[in-house]
Amino acid sequence: MTRPRKELVDIADTRYYHIVSRCVRRSFLCGRDESTGRSYEHRRQWIEDRIHILSSLFGIDICAYAVMSNHLHLVVKLSPEEIAALEDYDVVTRWRYLFKGPHLVQQWYKGERLSETELNEVKSAIAVLRNRLSNLGWFMKCLNEPIAKRANEEDQCSGHFWESRYKSQALLSENALLAAMAYVDLNPVRAGIAASPQTSDHTSLKVRLSANKKAEITHKPSPKDKAKRYNQFVFKPLLPFKRSASEPSESELPITFHEYLQLIEFALRKYKNQPEAGRLLHNFELANQINSASWAIDSTQFEKIYRQRFSKKPQQVQRAA
């Protein structure tokens, strides 16, 4: 039986989630239309830009992402403490990048005099906004809805762009997290649209390999596009890997980037059916309890085997709140 969305994303279980959104009927609405020859590849950049913008506003860190021609993958970490530490004014400042906000909050933000009753209403409203900036459902709403509206405006049409609300998978172990990240980062290679991670456009791994410290907004926003507000915006980097062999901090991924690249290389060798690939993980396996025999399956067939191997409860692989 399907569980309520609010039960599917719970920080008490895990901070890490794998998210998938697919275009309606899995059409190539961000790729090339074979029937007309028209290309919509530029929309993949819209989505990538939006991911970086929203991560910088929400208490949500990006571990990995891949924007494909007819779907997108995200691996995220929920970090509500980032928003909890903000002053009320900063909460409203972040929210105003996305929406105008309630009228009373707008007045308070501008420094207008308010009565005690109105100030109490403002305080309650800001508490709601604070909660939304920590919420995965609101993050995905702010990602998917503007993209759908902009694509429909470009096509001069109406109707659904995404086939349904996003789906989430709780990542309940380090193995699950790393397998999901590798699965997402290697999506273009697995699909045959890129020869290597270095040429896999619109992926987090390419960003990391390019040593980009900040996301770049490359498209020119239209007058109606709220992205015009981000001219002087400071972008949050991708969630970093730990820097040394010591224990990672709460703001780092559990392995180093070099170790992660070893895992990626191992998966790539398996794609090419190179039997010697098993040697690559020998020393790494001993230190991190990552079994080389199962890693290739974990990282290349993650969605298929997730329910049996990583999910605490089968029902958790459902749509999220």
Side-chain angles (χ1 to χ4, degrees):
M1 183 175 68
T2 302
R3 298 170 63 198
R5 285 175 174 264
K6 64 181 180 180
E7 295 181 13
L8 302 175
V9 178
D10 187 352
I11 196 172
D13 289 333
T14 178
R15 290 174 175 264
Y16 296 97
Y17 292 85
H18 171 224
I19 310 299
V20 183
S21 275
R22 302 186 185 279
C23 293
V24 65
R25 298 181 181 178
R26 303 196 180 188
S27 300
F28 289 84
L29 299 181
C30 297
R32 182 174 294 276
D33 187 334
E34 294 185 359
S35 62
T36 64
R38 184 175 177 183
S39 175
Y40 301 101
E41 289 285 338
H42 57 283
R43 292 176 180 171
R44 296 170 68 191
Q45 189 65 55
W46 294 357
I47 297 171
E48 185 174 15
D49 291 344
R50 190 78 180 169
I51 289 169
H52 287 289
I53 288 171
L54 294 176
S55 174
S56 302
L57 296 173
F58 281 73
I60 293 177
D61 295 302
I62 306 299
C63 304
Y65 67 82
V67 184
M68 305 296 285
S69 296
N70 64 355
H71 67 284
L72 70 90
H73 288 274
L74 289 168
V75 177
V76 302
K77 177 188 178 186
L78 307 185
S79 302
E81 64 278 359
E82 175 186 343
I83 304 302
L86 295 176
E87 299 291 339
D88 286 351
Y89 187 87
D90 296 324
V91 169
V92 177
T93 298
R94 292 195 183 201
W95 189 254
R96 281 169 60 86
Y97 277 108
L98 302 169
F99 305 100
K100 291 181 179 179
H103 181 65
L104 275 179
V105 174
Q106 294 180 49
Q107 291 180 302
W108 172 85
Y109 188 80
K110 295 175 182 177
E112 297 181 14
R113 295 186 63 179
L114 300 175
S115 68
E116 184 176 349
T117 300
E118 290 173 326
L119 287 173
N120 287 334
E121 290 185 26
V122 167
K123 186 176 181 179
S124 297
I126 293 177
V128 171
L129 301 185
R130 189 184 297 273
N131 180 67
R132 288 178 179 177
L133 287 175
S134 301
N135 184 273
L136 182 58
W138 271 92
F139 178 93
M140 291 305 298
K141 171 185 174 69
C142 293
L143 173 60
N144 284 353
E145 285 190 6
I147 297 300
K149 290 178 180 178
R150 188 173 181 186
N152 283 351
E153 182 179 359
E154 182 179 59
D155 291 340
Q156 297 183 344
C157 69
S158 60
H160 292 288
F161 183 87
W162 305 103
E163 71 173 5
S164 63
R165 296 179 71 182
Y166 72 94
K167 295 178 175 63
S168 72
Q169 298 171 323
L171 305 175
L172 301 172
S173 69
E174 285 188 8
N175 280 18
L177 169 63
L178 297 173
M181 289 178 61
Y183 177 83
V184 168
D185 276 328
L186 292 175
N187 224 290
V189 176
R190 186 172 58 255
I193 62 175
S196 68
Q198 291 88 340
T199 59
S200 298
D201 294 333
H202 311 296
T203 64
S204 54
L205 184 54
K206 183 175 181 180
V207 170
R208 293 186 191 273
L209 290 171
S210 302
N212 290 343
K213 295 183 178 180
K214 294 182 179 179
E216 295 181 359
I217 302 301
T218 58
H219 72 269
K220 295 181 179 180
S222 68
K224 295 182 180 180
D225 188 355
K226 287 190 176 71
K228 65 184 179 181
R229 301 181 182 182
Y230 303 109
N231 293 335
Q232 298 179 341
F233 196 75
V234 178
F235 292 95
K236 183 196 300 182
L238 297 170
L239 188 65
F241 289 90
K242 72 175 185 178
R243 298 182 180 181
S244 65
S246 60
E247 286 295 317
S249 70
E250 292 185 359
S251 60
E252 294 178 323
L253 290 163
I255 63 175
T256 67
F257 187 43
H258 175 71
E259 289 171 331
Y260 183 65
L261 290 180
Q262 284 186 294
L263 296 177
I264 292 293
E265 183 181 350
F266 179 75
L268 287 172
R269 287 174 180 265
K270 281 295 184 180
Y271 282 138
K272 299 177 182 179
N273 295 317
Q274 297 182 13
E276 69 274 15
R279 303 175 186 173
L280 185 67
L281 284 185
H282 179 67
N283 294 328
F284 184 67
E285 176 183 334
L286 296 179
N288 295 273
Q289 291 78 49
I290 294 179
N291 186 280
S292 58
S294 63
W295 173 253
I297 298 175
D298 296 349
S299 58
T300 59
Q301 302 180 41
F302 181 80
E303 288 184 283
K304 181 179 179 180
I305 54 90
Y306 178 88
R307 290 174 185 265
Q308 290 75 30
R309 183 165 296 166
F310 294 131
S311 181
K312 184 167 66 174
K313 296 179 181 180
Q315 296 95 328
Q316 281 189 312
V317 187
Q318 302 285 348
R319 300 174 183 175

